[in-house]
Amino acid sequence: PEKPTTPGDSVLVVPSVPGLQWSPLRSLYGQAIATARQRIWITNPYFLPGRVIRLALETAALRGVDVRLLLPSRSDHPLVSLASHSIYEGLLEAGVQIYEYERGFVHAKTLVIDEWVGTIGSANMDMRSFELNFELNAFIFGQEFCDRLATQFRRDLEDARQVTVEE
C-alpha cells in the first residue's frame, strides 16, 4: 500500500510460526537489540532467551546501553522460573539490571528500544514462542509509542525490587 499521508507511528505485525527455518520474531528482536544505543527495556513473564539474544543483551549492556528486565517475582511455572534464574548471574555481571515485579504476576510482553521501536504482543522471550508456538507481536516504530511504553515500564518498576549479583 501507499505510504499514509498523515504523520504517525508505523506498525509491523510479525508472527512466529512453527516449522520455519528462521523465526522472523526472533530475528527482529535480535536485530533491534543489536542496534540499540540508549535503552533496552523488556517486560516478560517467561524469560528464557536463547544464547544469541542473551549474548546480544549482555553485549549491549557492556557497551553502555541501559538494559533492564522486568520479570515476575512469582511464576505460575516454577521450573521456568528456576531456569530463568540460572542465567541471571551472567546478565547481571555484564551490567543488565534485573527487576522482579512483586505486585502480582506480571504477564505483559513488551520491549522498547531507544525511542524508535517498541513491541507488544503474545510472544514470550523464550524458544517456545520463537520456534514452537503461534505468536503475534506488533512492532510500532515511533517516539510516541516508545515514550508510552517507557512510562508504563517506569511505573511498573515502582512495584518491583532490583535483583543483585550477590543473590
Side-chain angles (χ1 to χ4, degrees), residues 59-122:
T59 302
L62 288 168
R63 71 174 189 270
V65 176
D66 178 8
V67 181
R68 300 181 194 186
L69 307 175
L70 181 60
L71 311 173
S73 65
R74 291 177 304 280
S75 177
D76 59 346
H77 292 287
L79 288 177
V80 174
S81 183
L82 288 171
S84 183
H85 285 130
S86 75
I87 63 171
Y88 276 20
E89 187 175 1
L91 291 162
L92 290 166
E93 288 175 349
V96 174
Q97 299 172 57
I98 301 174
Y99 298 85
E100 291 186 343
Y101 188 75
E102 296 188 316
R103 193 175 152 217
F105 179 63
V106 65
H107 203 260
K109 297 153 181 131
T110 67
L111 165 91
V112 61
I113 304 284
D114 300 338
E115 296 176 339
W116 68 275
V117 67
T119 184
I120 188 165
S122 65

Side-chain angles (χ1 to χ4, degrees), residues 1 14-15 17 19 25 29-30 33 35 46 48 50 52 59 62 75 78 80 100 106 110 118 124-125 142 154:
V14 181
V17 180
L25 195 52
Y29 265 88
I33 290 166
T35 59
Y46 308 113
L48 275 172
V52 171
T59 302
L62 288 168
S75 177
V80 174
E100 291 186 343
V106 65
T110 67
N124 295 301
M125 186 142 317
R154 283 189 208 94

Side-chain angles (χ1 to χ4, degrees), residues 14-26:
V14 181
S16 178
V17 180
L20 294 179
Q21 182 177 2
W22 305 104
S23 166
L25 195 52
R26 180 181 47 219

